[in-house]
Amino acid sequence: MAILARAIEAKMQDSCKALVLSGGGNNGSWEIGVLYGMIMNGDPTDFEFDVITGISAGAINTGGLVGWPKGKEVEMVEFMSEKWHSLKTDDVWQDWPLGKVSGALLMEGAVDDAPLLAFLQSIISEFP
């Protein structure tokens, strides 16, 4: 719902501020670090985005950023910074019981990424 409200609000304005986040594993953590630095050392109102989108790790960040209303940019980056700070490999993937080779041959991939789904659901579940 927040995404739709932001898009409608942006359409009614003369301009639209968009944040586009790239993918690339640990780049997600770096992106939040850069955004954190800009918001905490600048004017948070300069970072009131109308639209936020991303791919791969950037999509993970998008999921954690879009639930915040304008005016809550400090809380937004603190939230995502903490998520990345506490993230461990076991929160993203784990080996299959018989190992990576058996996973590649018998399962859907070399590793079990079910923990990542649980991590993503934990981020999104924090928003009403």
Coordinates of all heavy atoms in Angstrom, one line a residue, residues 25-64:
G25 N 25.2 -9.2 -4.2 CA 25.6 -9.8 -2.9 C 25.8 -8.7 -1.9 O 24.9 -8.0 -1.4
N26 N 27.1 -8.6 -1.5 CA 27.4 -7.7 -0.4 C 27.3 -6.2 -0.8 O 27.3 -5.3 0.1 CB 28.9 -7.9 0.1 CG 29.1 -9.2 0.8 OD1 28.1 -9.7 1.3 ND2 30.3 -9.7 0.8
N27 N 27.0 -5.9 -2.0 CA 26.7 -4.5 -2.4 C 25.5 -4.0 -1.7 O 25.4 -2.8 -1.5 CB 26.5 -4.4 -3.9 CG 27.8 -4.5 -4.7 OD1 28.9 -4.4 -4.2 ND2 27.7 -4.8 -6.0
G28 N 24.6 -4.9 -1.3 CA 23.4 -4.5 -0.6 C 23.8 -3.8 0.7 O 23.2 -2.8 1.1
S29 N 24.7 -4.4 1.4 CA 25.2 -3.8 2.7 C 25.9 -2.4 2.4 O 25.7 -1.4 3.1 CB 26.2 -4.7 3.3 OG 26.7 -4.2 4.5
W30 N 26.7 -2.4 1.3 CA 27.4 -1.2 1.0 C 26.4 -0.1 0.6 O 26.6 1.1 1.0 CB 28.3 -1.5 -0.2 CG 29.1 -0.3 -0.7 CD1 30.2 0.2 -0.3 CD2 28.7 0.6 -1.8 NE1 30.6 1.3 -1.0 CE2 29.6 1.6 -1.9 CE3 27.6 0.6 -2.6 CZ2 29.6 2.6 -2.9 CZ3 27.5 1.6 -3.6 CH2 28.5 2.6 -3.7
E31 N 25.4 -0.4 -0.1 CA 24.3 0.6 -0.5 C 23.7 1.2 0.7 O 23.5 2.4 0.8 CB 23.2 -0.1 -1.3 CG 23.6 -0.4 -2.7 CD 22.6 -1.2 -3.5 OE1 21.7 -1.9 -2.8 OE2 22.6 -1.3 -4.7
I32 N 23.3 0.4 1.7 CA 22.7 0.9 2.9 C 23.7 1.8 3.7 O 23.4 2.8 4.2 CB 22.1 -0.2 3.8 CG1 21.0 -0.9 3.1 CG2 21.7 0.3 5.2 CD1 19.8 0.1 2.8
G33 N 25.0 1.4 3.7 CA 26.0 2.2 4.4 C 26.2 3.5 3.7 O 26.3 4.5 4.4
V34 N 26.1 3.6 2.4 CA 26.2 4.9 1.7 C 25.0 5.7 2.0 O 25.1 6.9 2.4 CB 26.4 4.7 0.2 CG1 26.3 6.0 -0.5 CG2 27.8 4.1 -0.1
L35 N 23.8 5.1 1.9 CA 22.6 5.9 2.2 C 22.6 6.3 3.7 O 22.2 7.5 3.9 CB 21.4 5.0 1.9 CG 20.0 5.6 1.9 CD1 20.0 6.7 0.8 CD2 18.9 4.6 1.5
Y36 N 23.0 5.5 4.6 CA 23.1 5.8 6.0 C 24.0 7.1 6.2 O 23.6 8.0 6.9 CB 23.7 4.6 6.8 CG 23.8 4.8 8.3 CD1 22.8 4.4 9.1 CD2 24.8 5.5 8.8 CE1 22.8 4.5 10.5 CE2 24.9 5.7 10.2 CZ 23.9 5.2 11.0 OH 24.0 5.3 12.4
G37 N 25.2 7.0 5.5 CA 26.1 8.2 5.6 C 25.5 9.5 5.1 O 25.7 10.5 5.7
M38 N 24.8 9.4 4.0 CA 24.2 10.6 3.4 C 23.1 11.1 4.2 O 23.0 12.3 4.5 CB 23.7 10.3 2.0 CG 24.9 10.0 1.0 SD 24.4 9.9 -0.8 CE 23.0 8.8 -0.8
I39 N 22.3 10.3 4.8 CA 21.1 10.7 5.6 C 21.6 11.2 6.9 O 21.2 12.3 7.4 CB 20.1 9.6 5.7 CG1 19.4 9.4 4.4 CG2 19.1 9.9 6.8 CD1 18.4 8.2 4.3
M40 N 22.5 10.5 7.6 CA 23.0 10.9 8.9 C 23.9 12.2 8.9 O 24.0 12.9 9.9 CB 23.7 9.8 9.6 CG 22.8 8.6 9.7 SD 21.3 8.9 10.6 CE 21.5 8.0 12.1
N41 N 24.5 12.4 7.7 CA 25.4 13.6 7.7 C 24.9 14.7 6.8 O 25.6 15.7 6.6 CB 26.8 13.1 7.2 CG 27.5 12.2 8.2 OD1 27.8 12.6 9.3 ND2 27.7 10.9 7.8
G42 N 23.7 14.5 6.3 CA 23.1 15.6 5.5 C 21.7 15.9 6.0 O 21.4 15.7 7.1
D43 N 20.9 16.4 5.1 CA 19.5 16.8 5.5 C 18.7 15.6 5.1 O 18.5 15.3 3.9 CB 19.1 18.0 4.7 CG 17.7 18.5 5.0 OD1 17.0 17.8 5.8 OD2 17.3 19.5 4.5
P44 N 18.1 14.9 6.0 CA 17.3 13.7 5.7 C 16.1 14.0 4.8 O 15.7 13.1 4.0 CB 16.7 13.2 7.1 CG 17.7 13.7 8.1 CD 18.2 15.0 7.5
T45 N 15.6 15.2 4.7 CA 14.5 15.5 3.8 C 15.0 15.5 2.4 O 14.2 15.4 1.5 CB 13.9 16.9 4.1 OG1 14.9 17.9 4.0 CG2 13.3 16.9 5.6
D46 N 16.3 15.6 2.1 CA 16.8 15.5 0.8 C 16.7 14.0 0.2 O 16.9 13.8 -0.9 CB 18.3 15.9 0.7 CG 18.5 17.4 0.9 OD1 17.5 18.1 0.6 OD2 19.6 17.8 1.2
F47 N 16.4 13.1 1.1 CA 16.3 11.7 0.8 C 14.9 11.1 1.0 O 14.8 9.9 1.3 CB 17.4 10.9 1.6 CG 18.8 11.5 1.3 CD1 19.3 12.4 2.3 CD2 19.5 11.2 0.2 CE1 20.6 12.9 2.1 CE2 20.7 11.7 0.0 CZ 21.3 12.6 0.9
E48 N 13.9 11.9 0.8 CA 12.6 11.5 0.8 C 12.2 11.0 -0.6 O 11.8 11.8 -1.5 CB 11.6 12.6 1.3 CG 11.9 13.0 2.7 CD 11.0 14.1 3.2 OE1 10.3 14.8 2.3 OE2 10.9 14.4 4.4
F49 N 12.4 9.7 -0.9 CA 12.2 9.2 -2.2 C 10.7 8.9 -2.5 O 10.0 8.4 -1.6 CB 13.0 7.9 -2.4 CG 14.5 8.2 -2.2 CD1 15.1 7.8 -1.1 CD2 15.2 8.8 -3.2 CE1 16.5 8.0 -1.0 CE2 16.5 9.1 -3.1 CZ 17.2 8.7 -2.0
D50 N 10.3 9.2 -3.7 CA 8.9 8.9 -4.1 C 8.8 7.4 -4.6 O 7.8 6.8 -4.4 CB 8.5 9.8 -5.3 CG 8.5 11.2 -4.9 OD1 7.9 11.6 -3.9 OD2 9.2 12.0 -5.6
V51 N 9.9 6.9 -5.2 CA 9.9 5.5 -5.7 C 11.2 4.9 -5.3 O 12.3 5.6 -5.4 CB 9.8 5.6 -7.2 CG1 9.9 4.2 -7.8 CG2 8.5 6.2 -7.7
I52 N 11.2 3.7 -4.9 CA 12.4 2.9 -4.5 C 12.3 1.6 -5.3 O 11.3 0.9 -5.2 CB 12.6 2.7 -3.0 CG1 12.6 4.0 -2.3 CG2 13.9 1.9 -2.7 CD1 12.6 3.9 -0.8
T53 N 13.4 1.2 -6.0 CA 13.4 -0.1 -6.7 C 14.8 -0.7 -6.7 O 15.7 0.1 -6.4 CB 12.9 0.1 -8.1 OG1 12.7 -1.2 -8.7 CG2 13.8 1.0 -9.0
G54 N 14.9 -1.9 -6.9 CA 16.2 -2.6 -6.9 C 16.1 -4.0 -7.4 O 15.0 -4.5 -7.6
I55 N 17.3 -4.5 -7.7 CA 17.4 -5.9 -8.2 C 18.4 -6.7 -7.3 O 19.3 -6.1 -6.8 CB 17.8 -5.9 -9.6 CG1 17.8 -7.3 -10.2 CG2 19.2 -5.3 -9.8 CD1 17.8 -7.4 -11.7
S56 N 18.1 -7.9 -7.0 CA 18.9 -8.8 -6.3 C 19.1 -8.2 -4.9 O 18.1 -8.0 -4.1 CB 20.3 -9.0 -7.0 OG 21.0 -10.1 -6.4
A57 N 20.4 -7.9 -4.4 CA 20.6 -7.4 -3.1 C 19.9 -6.0 -3.0 O 19.4 -5.6 -1.9 CB 22.1 -7.2 -2.8
G58 N 19.8 -5.3 -4.1 CA 19.0 -4.0 -4.1 C 17.5 -4.2 -3.8 O 16.9 -3.4 -3.2
A59 N 17.0 -5.4 -4.3 CA 15.6 -5.7 -4.0 C 15.4 -6.0 -2.5 O 14.3 -5.7 -2.0 CB 15.2 -6.9 -4.9
I60 N 16.4 -6.6 -1.9 CA 16.3 -6.9 -0.5 C 16.2 -5.5 0.3 O 15.4 -5.3 1.1 CB 17.5 -7.7 0.0 CG1 17.5 -9.1 -0.5 CG2 17.6 -7.7 1.6 CD1 18.7 -9.9 -0.3
N61 N 17.1 -4.6 -0.1 CA 17.0 -3.3 0.5 C 15.7 -2.6 0.2 O 15.1 -1.9 1.1 CB 18.2 -2.4 0.0 CG 19.5 -2.8 0.6 OD1 19.5 -3.4 1.7 ND2 20.6 -2.6 -0.1
T62 N 15.2 -2.7 -1.0 CA 13.9 -2.1 -1.4 C 12.8 -2.6 -0.5 O 12.0 -1.8 0.0 CB 13.6 -2.4 -2.9 OG1 14.6 -1.9 -3.7 CG2 12.2 -1.8 -3.2
G63 N 12.8 -3.9 -0.2 CA 11.8 -4.5 0.7 C 11.9 -3.8 2.1 O 10.8 -3.7 2.8
G64 N 13.1 -3.5 2.5 CA 13.2 -2.9 3.9 C 13.0 -1.4 3.9 O 12.9 -0.8 5.0

